[in-house]
Amino acid sequence: MHLVLRSPERRTAARAVALVVVVVAGVYVAYANLGRQTEYVDEFTYAGAGWQYVHGALTGNLQHPPTAKYLYGLAQLVLGEGVGAARVVAATASFGTGVVLFAWLRRPIGFWGALLAAGWWWCTPRAAAATWADVASGAGVRIDRLALLEPLMVFFAVAAVAVAWHAVTRESDDDHGRWRAAGWWALSGALFALSVTSKVSTAVVFLAIAALPALHRRWRAYAIGAPVAAVSFLVVFAAVYLPVGGVRAIRFMLAFQTAHDVNGHTTTLLGRQYQFAPWWANAARVVEGVGWPTVVVLVLGLLAAVLVRPDPLVGVLGTALAALVVFYCTAQVALPYYYDAWMPWTIALAATGLVRAARLRPPWTTVVALVAVAATVLPAVVVVRTVAESRETGFARLSAALDHRGVPSDDRILVAGSPRAAFSHWTGRRASTDAAARGDFGVVVAGADERFPLRPALSRLLADEPGRFTTFRVDFLRVWVVRGDAAVRVRDGRTALVDER
């Protein structure tokens, strides 16, 4: 009897320990050293627009919807102006997404499956570059530690589908049950509006929400839940958009995004530049940002989810994932962080598949599933280590590095390998891009962005006169300082080394 009683107690203790370990790791990855990492270009745009919004200037960055920027602005009122306050909101949204996944999936796939999904979401890599494990590269190990639009968009979308799932699965035939379901549908519609008004990409997740009643054969939900959700969506959508101009702002956003897709956006994939992203671009971003070991495990989990007892949960997660994949793969623009919109659905599906596969023919299938999960532990450990080592990099450290080497503060800086927006916050008017440079420069800096290479004339000058420069690196930047009173002169399309400025 004593042994029989101890077994449930041990299971409860094991679950409690596992939950604490995963949650602590998730909190650490979300919030630790959040302000140390050098700011990403778009963070200045979104945090700045949010700050303007809460001070009555409601015209900034209307090429994207305003909800995330409202929240970034409110955070800055509380925590102080700057990207750091906005990052707290983004990190909280990211951590909250894991909480929603755990709460949602615990009933349909069990405690361990839900914890696996939350743990994968909280701790696996999701970076904007393949160099994420190298702190000096400046690549953030997690997209959702940055004050971008994706963390809020994703959180509200996942929450909207989870609440709609709850509304369908907990509906009862009595009046009280119908009113309660209507309340859940209203919440789902409001959350979905907040997602779409953070960034419009998740509009296609509507297909997953719309499929839920059919997947569960709850046809009455279309008569009751759908109208309630639609009204709630429209009310919240209008409340969000009216302050920034309503229909006028929506038209501007749609026109801008249409033009952006038509004109494309120069990006580098696998060492090659594209103006229009190929259909496989986001898949390549996933491999770069997540890493192939974790990707392989997730793909195996996806296959298991489809092949092993597919049910309404697999249907709704698969619908959301498929809709987003089709949307992004048919777009002409594929920035490095777009794939983040796929990941909660991918992770939830993969966790569902592995847990169900583990129960097929124990202990063999259980061992295989555990080995697959174990393969994702090392990348998660590297994420934790990288977060612990987070620091400023690149242009944020350039001025201090030049001061340390005695470079006069009025020496101008000629920059290649980087767009102006990526360095102007730290250099101000002291630095100019290679393409727009004119005058005398005492410093030349080359970044890592292949879209903005050194002009041939400047490249030849640096190669032909190595003795005239002091060369060193600041993380991913290569720096040349002209020795003595000489300077690099750029004038009338010509580049030359002159002895006096």
Side-chain angles (χ1 to χ4, degrees):
M1 177 67 70
H2 180 62
L3 292 176
V4 172
L5 291 175
R6 286 183 63 185
S7 180
E9 292 170 357
R10 286 182 174 178
R11 286 198 297 268
T12 300
R15 289 183 175 188
V17 170
L19 180 61
V20 169
V21 168
V22 173
V23 169
V24 168
V27 170
Y28 185 84
V29 170
Y31 295 103
N33 299 324
L34 200 57
R36 289 188 182 180
Q37 181 183 327
T38 300
E39 291 87 345
Y40 193 78
V41 175
D42 288 350
E43 291 185 282
F44 293 120
T45 300
Y46 302 140
W51 181 254
Q52 293 172 11
Y53 287 0
V54 296
H55 286 85
L58 297 166
T59 57
N61 194 239
L62 292 181
Q63 54 263 48
H64 290 295
T67 293
K69 290 167 285 186
Y70 285 149
L71 296 175
Y72 289 162
L74 291 173
Q76 291 175 80
L77 289 179
V78 176
L79 301 175
E81 182 182 3
V83 168
R87 281 183 176 178
V88 172
V89 177
T92 301
S94 173
F95 186 78
T97 300
V99 173
V100 171
L101 288 174
F102 179 77
W104 174 15
L105 299 176
R106 187 173 179 182
R107 181 179 290 268
I109 65 174
F111 173 87
W112 293 109
L115 186 62
L116 177 61
W120 273 346
W121 175 259
W122 284 329
C123 300
T124 52
R126 283 194 302 282
T131 55
W132 59 266
D134 179 11
V135 175
S137 72
V141 66
R142 289 288 294 260
I143 293 166
D144 42 21
R145 282 169 54 90
L146 305 176
L148 302 175
L149 304 180
E150 274 69 16
L152 280 299
M153 173 188 76
V154 167
F155 167 72
F156 288 125
V158 172
V161 178
V163 169
W165 173 275
H166 188 83
V168 170
T169 57
R170 300 296 181 86
E171 182 183 357
S172 58
D173 293 330
D174 57 272
D175 290 340
H176 179 69
R178 284 193 288 270
W179 279 107
R180 186 169 55 192
W184 288 115
W185 279 113
L187 178 58
S188 178
L191 290 167
F192 189 52
L194 293 175
S195 176
V196 172
T197 55
S198 290
K199 193 171 183 180
V200 74
S201 308
T202 46
V204 295
V205 175
F206 164 77
L207 296 174
I209 297 175
L212 265 170
L215 290 169
H216 287 275
R217 299 185 183 280
R218 299 273 188 173
W219 308 108
R220 189 170 56 189
Y222 288 116
I224 299 174
V228 171
V231 170
S232 177
F233 176 90
L234 291 173
V235 169
V236 174
F237 189 95
V240 168
Y241 253 106
L242 284 175
V244 296
V247 174
R248 176 180 55 82
I250 295 170
R251 286 176 176 169
F252 176 82
M253 177 196 68
L254 293 175
F256 180 93
Q257 295 300 335
T258 300
H260 192 209
D261 196 61
V262 169
N263 297 326
H265 185 99
T266 305
T267 189
T268 303
L269 286 164
L270 306 179
R272 180 180 172 185
Q273 288 190 24
Y274 296 86
Q275 181 63 27
F276 299 97
W279 66 267
W280 47 265
N282 285 287
R285 301 292 195 196
V286 172
V287 177
E288 290 179 344
V290 177
W292 67 263
T294 304
V295 169
V296 168
V297 173
L298 292 177
V299 169
L300 291 175
L302 291 176
L303 291 174
V306 173
L307 298 175
V308 180
R309 297 197 307 273
D311 63 357
L313 178 64
V314 173
V316 69
L317 292 172
T319 301
L321 176 59
L324 287 165
V325 167
V326 170
F327 173 78
Y328 280 106
C329 286
T330 55
Q332 299 295 318
V333 178
L335 298 185
Y337 47 83
Y338 281 1
Y339 76 88
D340 191 53
W342 301 3
M343 294 310 294
W345 322 101
T346 302
I347 285 172
L349 265 174
T352 300
L354 280 185
V355 167
R356 290 176 175 173
R359 298 167 182 161
L360 277 179
R361 295 178 181 274
W364 303 110
T365 53
T366 303
V367 170
V368 171
L370 289 174
V371 169
V373 173
T376 65
V377 172
L378 181 57
V381 170
V382 176
V383 169
V384 173
R385 185 212 69 192
T386 306
V387 168
E389 296 175 352
S390 294
R391 61 172 175 80
E392 289 189 328
T393 57
F395 288 106
R397 298 178 60 226
L398 178 61
S399 293
L402 294 175
D403 291 343
H404 179 71
R405 288 166 172 80
V407 178
S409 60
D410 58 350
D411 271 15
R412 296 178 65 199
I413 304 170
L414 180 61
V415 179
S418 177
R420 181 171 182 79
F423 60 80
S424 60
H425 176 78
W426 296 279
T427 63
R429 301 180 67 178
R430 182 184 181 187
S432 299
T433 60
D434 185 19
R438 180 178 174 82
D440 292 347
F441 298 85
V443 182
V444 177
V445 176
D449 194 328
E450 298 175 0
R451 296 176 299 166
F452 307 96
L454 284 166
R455 285 182 297 133
L458 180 57
S459 183
R460 284 194 301 269
L461 177 65
L462 296 172
D464 293 343
E465 302 281 356
R468 305 289 298 275
F469 299 90
T470 298
T471 304
F472 57 93
R473 285 192 174 273
V474 180
D475 299 318
F476 57 91
L477 302 177
R478 189 173 182 186
V479 183
W480 293 265
V481 177
V482 185
R483 291 177 176 173
D485 294 328
V488 173
R489 177 167 294 172
V490 181
R491 186 168 297 171
D492 300 327
R494 298 179 180 179
T495 302
L497 196 61
V498 296
D499 292 327
E500 294 183 2
R501 308 183 190 186

